[in-house]
Amino acid sequence: MSLFVHKYGGTSMGSIERIKNVACRVAKWHRAGHQVVVVPSAMSGETNRLLSLAKELTPFPDARELDMIAATGEQVSSALLAIALQSVGISARSYAGWQVPIKTDSAYSKARIMSIDGEHILSDLKQGRVVVITGFQGVDQENNITTLGRGGSDTSAVAIAAALKADECLIYTDVNGVYTTDPRVVPEARCMPRVSFEEMLEMASLGSKVLQIRSVEFAGKYSVPTRVLSSLTDVNIPLDEEMHSGTLINFEENDNMEAAVVSGIAFSRDEAKITLIAVPDTPGIAHSILGPVAAANIEVDMILQNQSVAGCTDFSFTVNRSDFKRTLDLLENDVVPAVQAREISTDDKVAKVSIVGVGMRSHVGVASLMFKTLSQEGINIKMISTSEIKTSVIIDDKYMELAVRSLHKAFGLEHSSDTDSV
Amino acid sequence: MSLFVHKYGGTSMGSIERIKNVACRVAKWHRAGHQVVVVPSAMSGETNRLLSLAKELTPFPDARELDMIAATGEQVSSALLAIALQSVGISARSYAGWQVPIKTDSAYSKARIMSIDGEHILSDLKQGRVVVITGFQGVDQENNITTLGRGGSDTSAVAIAAALKADECLIYTDVNGVYTTDPRVVPEARCMPRVSFEEMLEMASLGSKVLQIRSVEFAGKYSVPTRVLSSLTDVNIPLDEEMHSGTLINFEENDNMEAAVVSGIAFSRDEAKITLIAVPDTPGIAHSILGPVAAANIEVDMILQNQSVAGCTDFSFTVNRSDFKRTLDLLENDVVPAVQAREISTDDKVAKVSIVGVGMRSHVGVASLMFKTLSQEGINIKMISTSEIKTSVIIDDKYMELAVRSLHKAFGLEHSSDTDSV
């Protein structure tokens, strides 16, 4: 007997029919003798509907009250799932985050989980019940309801799996797993049977929006084996097949992982690049430039500062294209005069493409192969940034698909380098 | 400075515009220096929408899970009201029942309030906040969410007013107050400035569905001055006028009340009368007849057993017309053979009309005037039942309006016998 935590997203919970389907899937695991805890999201569209009610009252509603409102979506879907389970003969009970309790800090709308008391859950499981726990929410020290931010149900599921020392946390979603890159861009993209936590972190932050990045951090921190798999498969496929489908995000490195130098290609469109040319290379210059940007709540992605020449340096960074105009206004009005930059050079039609793989740590020449591949396709590289397990480049956005496809081929990602059967 | 508890029903909270209106009304009280606790219902239609989702899964969903679902309606409306108050410059905070906490027993969907901890509320009020508390719900000893049944928000409001020792509990609704009878039947019906708790209890149970009957019991038990008033008046009417509008349900008897022998005429349509003729008058006969009826969850209203003649008696009772067929089947199949009744006589086209008034206690001849009035109109009385402060008759339902109008006139209810100005 093993203990599994299942997480189902808003689409999987999107209608009464789909909730019945989830109940049948959970029942299959339960009937096979496993203990199951289920963490559902709100029915799709529900959270938006609730928040838009509040926004009708005032453009900036109080964060505490917003969390009170938003948390109801999961309370409804969780109780509905418990009822659906009961109606297929499974003993089930739903709990809101505060009933567990899932204790968080008081950062409304983006709270962080502090602790989870697994006592009641384990006692229910022992009595043969399936336990359904609202995703996305918890309760702070003063008993205020908090939410974890969009996609927070992934984090709830992984955190609950960690607290219960579950054998595996299964994130059911509308894709088959984690791909070597987006199959819409590269039809040969392959679903990876395994990926390391670190690779998953890089993939998630680089735009492969399969999992909320905080849930991956959580899984890594507490070594929770986490699987991403499809909720769209036939509910009657054999349990053994379902158990090995999708992508397992694994904490332990192994030979298979070492073998794959590059695991995947991540990319993000809609980037904009800004360079301040010839700013004096004095201490604190980066803060002088990016401080006001951060204060305006604009998220900065890549940051590059070159070697200074004659006491001056060029300072580049990228922002989301939707923030480009606002960032530029801010720089021109406040920052450029203050830091005495000679000029601003901008490009709001760029994309970021990254190769990710833990194998890059111990293999030389990986970045070179990336640059050679892009050069052969005539793609000019505008910025380069590297970390231990990824190399990112900024290129003209019109070449993005071409770059992803040629890199996917150059690194042999269409052929499985993993000996696991999928 | 006084402390008031306001309760707003689903219609008053039915849209964002109406919630803004409620916020303006509460703000008026708060700005006049009063402490205000607000208890809203769910937005109209919301509770039905939520419960019908569960009913789509199974005809008889688990009661605990249903309460989890239903309770979210008030959580949303309460937080929306807090936001609406904040947006007109009033410091406000919403609490779910479990956060107060409002402790109840574990009778899901019809829980009873056991205790209310007023500490947090009073502390918030002291800090100048308006406190919004979800109606209709609480939490049991094991931290399960419970609901109080339809209309339970009235009970929540009165119970909170009792716990806080509020100066008055104001039930805002879509009528102007409690009338001497239904104005749709008698245009001369008058809104009573005051009514006693006992009269209100009789009026409520007899079909004047202004207040949930349990809230009236609660108000009586804890001597909570409770006012029923309109939420449809212009929100800008002077506070002093609003404070004295509607009907005050008063715990203390006073001269004015003594003066009014009969306070109002209550009635209910859709009754059905069933008589078992010549049943043996043996101990336990009432239980033998009504036990199976109660077991089938059929609510019995009036019950009459006449003096026995020659060891036999006639046993009559009324049920709601919608339960008539079911009751009759039950009696014919199970009860009549068992109790050896000679026959069953039925009438499913009857109505009940009652005169109510605490003054009846000390005034003779009140019932006589009722019978005389009906007789003058040629209305035949089929059953009579009396209590200390009411007399009810069962008549042909086609005469109901005529009976109500003639009784209203005979007891002089169109003229105020109360010296209070309205």
Side-chain angles (χ1 to χ4, degrees):
Chain A
M1 185 180 67
S2 300
L3 168 51
F4 293 97
V5 174
H6 285 201
K7 183 261 171 178
Y8 293 91
T11 311
S12 307
M13 299 291 293
S15 69
I16 292 297
E17 274 316 305
R18 289 184 185 174
I19 290 174
K20 283 182 183 174
N21 220 38
V22 167
C24 289
R25 197 177 288 277
V26 171
K28 180 173 68 178
W29 288 71
H30 184 262
R31 292 198 178 112
H34 299 298
Q35 295 183 325
V36 190
V37 174
V38 191
V39 180
S41 297
M43 295 173 80
S44 57
E46 187 60 10
T47 308
N48 282 335
R49 183 186 75 83
L50 290 165
L51 296 181
S52 72
L53 282 174
K55 297 259 162 79
E56 272 184 67
L57 284 167
T58 170
F60 301 105
D62 182 60
R64 178 187 182 278
E65 302 299 332
L66 270 188
D67 278 5
M68 284 283 275
I69 293 170
T72 62
E74 280 76 16
Q75 188 168 323
V76 170
S77 65
S78 295
L80 287 175
L81 181 55
I83 291 169
L85 282 163
Q86 290 162 358
S87 71
V88 294
I90 305 283
S91 173
R93 188 167 272 202
S94 78
Y95 294 98
W98 64 267
Q99 290 175 309
V100 174
I102 296 176
K103 290 276 184 191
T104 72
D105 61 20
S106 301
Y108 298 116
S109 84
K110 49 178 189 292
R112 288 188 166 264
I113 294 174
M114 315 297 279
S115 68
I116 295 179
D117 184 343
E119 195 186 326
H120 290 347
I121 305 173
L122 290 170
S123 149
D124 272 350
L125 290 175
K126 240 175 236 163
Q127 291 171 56
R129 288 198 182 108
V130 167
V131 179
V132 186
I133 301 174
T134 56
F136 178 62
Q137 62 196 269
V139 63
D140 75 3
Q141 289 299 329
E142 280 79 41
N143 264 348
N144 297 302
I145 290 178
T146 56
T147 68
L148 310 181
R150 281 299 165 107
S153 294
D154 291 342
T155 305
S156 301
V158 173
I160 289 165
L164 301 178
K165 302 196 196 326
D167 293 272
E168 209 172 281
C169 179
L170 294 94
I171 310 285
Y172 284 87
T173 176
D174 52 0
V175 296
N176 287 324
V178 183
Y179 277 74
T180 49
T181 194
D182 189 333
R184 285 170 300 189
V185 172
V186 183
E188 295 81 18
R190 195 172 42 80
C191 178
M192 296 182 274
R194 283 158 182 269
V195 66
S196 77
F197 280 116
E198 291 144 307
E199 286 168 327
M200 192 63 210
L201 272 179
E202 293 288 2
M203 297 289 278
S205 65
L206 290 168
S208 301
K209 298 190 181 70
V210 179
L211 276 181
Q212 197 203 24
I213 189 157
R214 274 170 53 203
S215 70
V216 183
E217 290 168 10
F218 224 104
K221 191 168 171 191
Y222 293 98
S223 309
V224 181
T226 301
R227 184 179 296 274
V228 176
L229 72 172
S230 173
S231 67
L232 305 176
T233 55
D234 184 338
V235 71
N236 295 315
I237 67 165
L239 182 61
D240 193 58
E241 189 180 323
E242 188 167 316
M243 283 182 99
H244 295 93
S245 69
T247 301
L248 179 66
I249 307 167
N250 205 321
F251 184 67
E252 293 152 33
E253 295 195 15
N254 62 24
D255 289 344
N256 287 333
M257 286 180 185
E258 289 283 336
V261 177
V262 167
S263 300
I265 316 286
F267 55 83
S268 61
R269 297 168 197 275
D270 304 328
E271 303 261 331
K273 177 176 91 67
I274 297 173
T275 305
L276 272 70
I277 295 174
V279 292
D281 187 9
T282 53
I285 191 72
H287 178 68
S288 307
I289 295 168
L290 294 183
V293 176
N297 224 2
I298 297 167
E299 203 170 327
V300 171
D301 182 12
M302 276 170 82
I303 302 169
L304 272 187
Q305 184 181 336
N306 285 354
Q307 171 73 32
S308 72
V309 177
C312 277
T313 186
D314 300 338
F315 189 96
S316 296
F317 61 95
T318 62
V319 295
N320 191 287
R321 204 173 292 166
S322 63
D323 289 325
F324 174 66
K325 272 250 174 289
R326 206 154 59 93
T327 312
L328 199 59
D329 285 352
L330 191 81
L331 291 172
E332 282 174 341
N333 295 330
D334 302 340
V335 177
V336 169
V339 303
Q340 298 180 293
R342 199 172 67 211
E343 58 177 304
I344 299 188
S345 150
T346 64
D347 190 341
D348 67 344
K349 290 202 174 59
V350 294
K352 181 167 65 168
V353 175
S354 311
I355 54 173
V356 178
V358 288
M360 288 167 69
R361 280 192 195 130
S362 45
H363 284 72
V364 292
V366 176
S368 290
L369 177 57
M370 182 187 201
F371 304 151
K372 180 180 154 203
T373 306
L374 296 176
S375 151
Q376 281 170 343
E377 299 290 350
I379 301 169
N380 187 37
I381 297 172
K382 294 167 177 262
M383 278 170 79
I384 301 173
S385 168
T386 63
S387 80
E388 237 190 321
I389 65 161
K390 77 149 196 236
T391 302
S392 302
V393 296
I394 294 288
I395 59 175
D396 266 353
D397 68 352
K398 65 182 172 189
Y399 294 128
M400 195 194 75
E401 286 85 353
L402 175 59
V404 172
R405 275 195 296 268
S406 53
L407 289 169
H408 197 266
K409 191 155 189 210
F411 286 100
L413 294 179
E414 70 269 38
H415 311 295
S416 171
S417 60
D418 191 303
T419 53
D420 276 31
S421 62
V422 190
Chain B
M1 185 179 68
S2 301
L3 168 51
F4 293 96
V5 174
H6 285 201
K7 183 263 171 177
Y8 293 92
T11 311
S12 307
M13 298 292 292
S15 69
I16 292 298
E17 273 317 304
R18 289 185 185 172
I19 290 173
K20 283 184 184 173
N21 219 39
V22 167
C24 289
R25 197 176 289 277
V26 171
K28 180 173 69 179
W29 288 71
H30 185 262
R31 291 199 179 109
H34 298 299
Q35 295 182 325
V36 189
V37 174
V38 191
V39 180
S41 297
M43 295 172 79
S44 56
E46 186 62 7
T47 307
N48 282 336
R49 184 186 74 83
L50 290 166
L51 296 181
S52 71
L53 282 175
K55 296 260 163 79
E56 271 185 66
L57 285 168
T58 170
F60 301 106
D62 181 63
R64 177 186 183 277
E65 303 298 333
L66 271 187
D67 278 5
M68 283 285 273
I69 293 171
T72 63
E74 280 75 16
Q75 189 168 322
V76 169
S77 65
S78 296
L80 287 174
L81 180 56
I83 291 170
L85 283 162
Q86 290 161 358
S87 72
V88 294
I90 305 282
S91 175
R93 186 167 275 203
S94 78
Y95 293 97
W98 64 267
Q99 289 175 310
V100 172
I102 297 176
K103 290 277 184 192
T104 72
D105 61 21
S106 300
Y108 298 117
S109 85
K110 47 177 189 292
R112 291 191 163 261
I113 294 174
M114 314 297 281
S115 68
I116 295 179
D117 183 345
E119 194 186 326
H120 290 348
I121 305 173
L122 290 169
S123 149
D124 272 350
L125 290 174
K126 239 176 232 161
Q127 290 169 58
R129 288 197 182 108
V130 167
V131 178
V132 185
I133 301 174
T134 56
F136 178 62
Q137 63 195 268
V139 64
D140 75 3
Q141 288 300 326
E142 281 77 42
N143 263 348
N144 297 303
I145 290 178
T146 56
T147 68
L148 311 182
R150 281 299 165 108
S153 294
D154 291 342
T155 306
S156 302
V158 173
I160 289 165
L164 301 177
K165 301 194 196 326
D167 293 273
E168 210 172 279
C169 179
L170 294 94
I171 310 285
Y172 285 88
T173 177
D174 51 1
V175 296
N176 286 325
V178 182
Y179 278 73
T180 49
T181 194
D182 189 334
R184 283 168 301 186
V185 172
V186 182
E188 297 80 19
R190 195 173 41 81
C191 178
M192 295 182 272
R194 282 159 182 268
V195 67
S196 76
F197 279 114
E198 291 144 306
E199 286 168 325
M200 192 62 210
L201 271 180
E202 292 288 3
M203 298 290 275
S205 65
L206 290 169
S208 301
K209 297 190 180 70
V210 179
L211 275 181
Q212 197 203 23
I213 190 158
R214 274 171 52 203
S215 70
V216 182
E217 291 168 9
F218 224 105
K221 189 168 172 191
Y222 293 99
S223 309
V224 181
T226 301
R227 184 178 295 274
V228 176
L229 71 172
S230 172
S231 67
L232 305 175
T233 55
D234 185 339
V235 70
N236 295 315
I237 66 164
L239 182 61
D240 193 57
E241 188 179 324
E242 189 167 318
M243 283 181 97
H244 295 94
S245 67
T247 300
L248 180 64
I249 305 168
N250 206 322
F251 184 68
E252 292 151 33
E253 296 196 14
N254 62 25
D255 290 344
N256 287 332
M257 286 182 188
E258 289 284 339
V261 177
V262 167
S263 300
I265 316 287
F267 56 84
S268 61
R269 297 172 197 276
D270 303 329
E271 302 261 332
K273 176 175 92 66
I274 297 174
T275 304
L276 273 67
I277 297 175
V279 292
D281 187 11
T282 53
I285 191 72
H287 179 66
S288 305
I289 296 169
L290 295 181
V293 175
N297 225 2
I298 296 168
E299 204 171 325
V300 171
D301 183 11
M302 275 170 84
I303 302 169
L304 272 187
Q305 182 182 337
N306 284 354
Q307 171 72 33
S308 71
V309 177
C312 278
T313 185
D314 301 337
F315 191 94
S316 298
F317 61 95
T318 62
V319 296
N320 192 285
R321 203 171 296 166
S322 63
D323 289 326
F324 175 66
K325 272 252 173 286
R326 207 153 58 93
T327 312
L328 199 58
D329 286 351
L330 192 78
L331 291 173
E332 285 174 340
N333 295 329
D334 302 341
V335 176
V336 170
V339 302
Q340 300 178 290
R342 200 172 66 211
E343 57 179 304
I344 298 188
S345 150
T346 64
D347 190 343
D348 67 343
K349 290 201 173 63
V350 294
K352 181 168 65 169
V353 175
S354 311
I355 54 173
V356 177
V358 287
M360 288 168 70
R361 281 191 195 131
S362 46
H363 284 73
V364 290
V366 175
S368 290
L369 178 55
M370 182 185 200
F371 305 150
K372 179 179 157 205
T373 305
L374 295 177
S375 150
Q376 281 171 346
E377 299 290 349
I379 300 169
N380 186 39
I381 297 171
K382 293 164 179 268
M383 278 170 79
I384 300 173
S385 168
T386 62
S387 81
E388 236 189 323
I389 65 163
K390 77 149 194 238
T391 301
S392 302
V393 297
I394 295 289
I395 58 174
D396 266 352
D397 69 350
K398 65 182 172 189
Y399 294 128
M400 195 195 75
E401 285 86 353
L402 175 61
V404 173
R405 275 195 297 268
S406 54
L407 290 170
H408 198 266
K409 189 153 189 211
F411 286 99
L413 294 179
E414 70 270 38
H415 311 296
S416 172
S417 60
D418 193 303
T419 52
D420 275 31
S421 63
V422 189

